[in-house]
Amino acid sequence: FAGSGVASNTLQLNNLNLKPERAKSYEVGLEANFMDRRIGFDISYYNTQTEDQITPVPISFATGRATKLLNAGTIENKGIEVSLNLNPIRSEDFNWNMNINWARNRSEVLELTDGIDNLQLASLQGGVSINAAPGQPYGAIRGRDYVYDDNGNRIVNDGGYYQRSATSNEIIGNIQPDWTGGVSNTFQY
């Protein structure tokens, strides 16, 4: 760059002993159509366990690296997907098809590799982090929570601000949505 040579080492330590990730899954469902395909639905339930997930895990900078690739753990995802298909208008000149879908996924970190109790996936401002820990959903958000009274109301301090907990390692949320959904319309003329 600008007449000078530039070189650097990668900050990730590779691992020659990695095993391939393996996923075991099953899915059951039902699909049906009625009234000459004017109304239909599709519903399914799935369960997937992914073992030996390949993940960069933080290591000491004294090694000259920041992360090492490891088979870090096992995650389970299970959920339900529902889809409704409608054909409200069907004629020779015009056709309207509508699809409404809804899905809910729940994940859980079943285990992490030996010696790791919590895998920090991201560290964000304000002491907030995104984590993977056994028994918790993948993407658990940790940070400082509010202090609550016996009725579940947030306590306000003398300065007029909500009182915060002393530790910043409490689970305060999850990166995964409660549900997803959508509506699509197709018009043909």
Side-chain angles (χ1 to χ4, degrees):
F1 181 75
S4 300
V6 176
S8 65
N9 287 326
T10 178
L11 292 177
Q12 183 166 284
L13 182 61
N14 292 327
N15 184 347
L16 297 175
N17 297 317
L18 285 176
K19 297 182 278 184
E21 288 185 2
R22 293 174 302 170
K24 299 174 186 173
S25 65
Y26 66 87
E27 182 173 347
V28 295
L30 176 66
E31 179 181 355
N33 289 291
F34 307 96
M35 299 174 57
D36 193 28
R37 302 185 70 85
R38 301 280 301 247
I39 298 174
F41 70 89
D42 187 352
I43 184 168
S44 63
Y45 170 82
Y46 62 89
N47 184 308
T48 303
Q49 266 193 19
T50 307
E51 300 174 347
D52 295 324
Q53 285 205 303
I54 300 172
T55 307
V57 176
I59 58 175
S60 170
F61 278 114
T63 63
R65 305 281 198 254
T67 60
K68 178 179 181 178
L69 286 176
L70 290 178
N71 293 106
T74 302
I75 295 178
E76 179 181 61
N77 283 290
K78 55 186 170 185
I80 188 168
E81 298 173 348
V82 179
S83 179
L84 174 66
N85 301 302
L86 302 172
N87 184 211
I89 299 174
R90 183 190 304 165
S91 69
E92 286 185 29
D93 296 329
F94 185 75
N95 194 27
W96 173 21
N97 287 306
M98 178 186 289
N99 178 271
I100 303 167
N101 61 60
W102 178 88
R104 179 179 173 126
N105 180 65
R106 291 292 170 257
S107 74
E108 181 182 354
V109 177
L110 299 180
E111 65 180 354
L112 293 176
T113 191
D114 292 337
I116 299 176
D117 297 328
N118 182 63
L119 181 58
Q120 191 175 81
L121 305 171
S123 178
L124 309 167
Q125 65 185 12
V128 175
S129 63
I130 299 174
N131 302 269
Q136 297 295 326
Y138 181 83
I141 302 172
R142 293 182 182 264
R144 290 178 63 194
D145 198 1
Y146 296 107
V147 176
Y148 300 91
D149 65 14
D150 292 337
N151 296 324
N153 301 310
R154 289 182 272 188
I155 297 175
V156 178
N157 65 19
D158 293 336
Y161 296 100
Y162 289 121
Q163 190 172 334
R164 303 291 299 269
S165 64
T167 64
S168 64
N169 199 25
E170 298 179 43
I171 294 179
I172 58 175
N174 188 314
I175 62 171
Q176 298 181 32
D178 291 336
W179 57 272
T180 59
V183 176
S184 65
N185 289 288
T186 304
F187 300 98
Q188 294 173 323
Y189 176 74

